[in-house]
Amino acid sequence: MKGKEFYQILKERQAAGATDLTAATILKGAEAGEKFLLEGEEKVRVFADSHTEPQVFMERLGRSPKLLVFGAGHVSMPIIRIGKMLQFSVTVLEDRPKFADQARRAGADRVICEPFSRGLEQVELEPDTYAVIVTRGHRYDEDCLYGVLSREKESGTACAYVGMMGSRRRTAMVRERMRELGIAEEEIRRLHAPIGLAIGAETPEEIAVSIFAQIIQVKNEAERTEGYPKELLDAILEGYGSGEKTGRAVLATIISRQGSAPRSVGTKMLIREDGTTLGTIGGGCAESAVMQKAFQMMRIPESPRFLVTVVDMTAREAEEEGMVCGGRIQVMLEVTGS
């Protein structure tokens, strides 16, 4: 598949809830730029067996992460703000109208002001859901935790992360209570409680940072790329339409890195012909160099619609340009749109 067909099918599969998707792009030869969407481990294995690794880029696609926050107290406010800063879709469950309004003002995408059990019935727990339980009391924390773990058991789908605030003594008691309620030991061991990394956090803001440090650690251990967020897919497909906003763009994707390059493999950035962008591959001179190549691809008729380029940020080049990081990134550039 090339161009519009690939992105349309990908959007449809993601909208349908597909979670085990792999995108493969041919990098060299007559088929350079050809893209494949593979679903399931068996299709990935068969594809990999028939293609040489250096000539194809394969990425297991993660979906846009979802943050599910139980409670809208003083600790939840910086959690919501940092979640939005890190591009999570944030849903807050809170049973008190005044506090629910605080969550809305903090920028939550969705606030459900219902008793926690009823609110939980209105959300989907998926492999890209990060559940943070920080209610106003241990009784509510325990009820919310049981609700999440029992829903996971019923659906057979586990959240990416479940964390609950509390002291070591209190969380040990909650774990024992979960055993009494029939939650399997394997599921109880997945619980992050006390929540967050042990960095000595005290203020609500520090606690929120410790929680997200742990969430990022868990998220990045999954070895999935950031994939194609909905906003990015919509922008790419918009370029193939027939309205005023149509037009070419270049999708830049980091396909390999060495050294201390700032962004990971799979990071994407859309560069439009008018100079506007969506996303970032790290900023600075490296990003500027990639953008210049992208503009050449869009503006010079004889330029290729697909190429792979290397940006060198090793010691000498980094020092000359004043960059704080070193390393090399290999970037795949694809012209999209009409």
Side-chain angles (χ1 to χ4, degrees), residues 85-315:
M85 186 187 307
L86 296 178
Q87 300 183 336
F88 282 71
S89 172
V90 180
T91 296
V92 178
L93 305 186
E94 172 56 64
D95 59 350
R96 300 167 293 176
K98 179 180 177 180
F99 287 83
D101 286 342
Q102 287 185 176
R104 294 186 183 97
R105 288 194 294 272
D109 297 285
R110 183 185 182 194
V111 178
I112 302 174
C113 188
E114 299 266 7
F116 291 112
S117 59
R118 290 218 300 266
L120 184 56
E121 292 173 356
Q122 300 177 44
V123 298
E124 293 293 327
L125 299 183
E126 299 175 304
D128 52 9
T129 298
Y130 295 77
V132 174
I133 301 172
V134 285
T135 73
R136 62 186 179 276
H138 295 310
R139 176 168 63 87
Y140 298 101
D141 286 345
E142 187 174 300
D143 290 345
C144 292
L145 176 62
Y146 178 70
V148 170
L149 297 182
S150 57
R151 276 277 302 277
E152 286 183 327
K153 181 179 178 181
E154 290 170 7
S155 66
T157 300
C159 294
Y161 173 95
V162 180
M164 185 187 73
M165 183 174 286
S167 65
R168 292 189 181 279
R169 177 177 175 276
R170 177 60 192 169
T171 55
M173 293 171 62
V174 171
R175 283 188 169 90
E176 185 57 36
R177 178 60 177 156
M178 293 300 107
R179 294 184 186 97
E180 294 172 0
L181 292 171
I183 301 299
E185 190 64 33
E186 179 183 353
E187 299 306 309
I188 294 172
R189 283 198 298 269
R190 289 180 49 245
L191 173 65
H192 296 272
I195 196 170
L197 294 185
I199 60 173
E202 294 182 356
T203 67
E205 292 77 12
E206 289 175 348
I207 293 169
V209 168
S210 76
I211 290 170
F212 271 99
Q214 190 172 60
I215 287 175
I216 291 168
Q217 183 181 62
V218 170
K219 181 172 73 72
N220 291 346
E221 285 173 352
E223 295 184 348
R224 291 178 181 267
T225 73
E226 66 178 27
Y228 294 80
K230 182 179 183 299
E231 184 182 11
L232 177 64
L233 272 178
D234 288 345
I236 291 172
L237 287 169
E238 193 175 70
Y240 288 101
S242 56
E244 293 181 359
K245 295 184 178 180
T246 62
R248 287 183 300 175
V250 169
L251 179 64
T253 305
I254 298 177
I255 61 174
S256 72
R257 70 172 184 172
Q258 296 175 321
S260 57
R263 299 302 303 273
S264 61
V265 169
T267 300
K268 296 176 178 63
M269 174 183 184
L270 190 68
I271 303 152
R272 301 184 182 93
E273 198 165 7
D274 63 4
T276 60
T277 61
L278 180 61
T280 176
I281 57 171
C285 297
E287 185 167 290
S288 177
V290 169
M291 290 180 66
Q292 290 306 311
K293 286 187 178 294
F295 291 138
Q296 291 174 15
M297 293 173 70
M298 288 184 282
R299 296 169 180 171
I300 300 176
E302 59 270 23
S303 296
R305 290 183 61 87
F306 177 90
L307 66 83
V308 175
T309 187
V310 174
V311 180
D312 197 328
M313 299 176 290
T314 49

Side-chain angles (χ1 to χ4, degrees), residues 22-67:
T22 297
T25 307
I26 304 297
L27 300 178
K28 298 179 180 180
E31 295 182 327
E34 189 78 16
K35 304 181 80 69
F36 300 82
L37 188 61
L38 313 169
E39 189 165 0
E41 292 294 332
E42 179 61 21
K43 289 185 178 179
V44 171
R45 186 189 63 78
V46 171
F47 184 90
D49 287 346
S50 61
H51 292 80
T52 305
E53 186 174 348
Q55 296 182 351
V56 62
F57 171 60
M58 298 179 67
E59 55 177 333
R60 297 186 66 186
L61 303 180
R63 297 195 296 171
S64 298
K66 302 175 180 66
L67 183 68

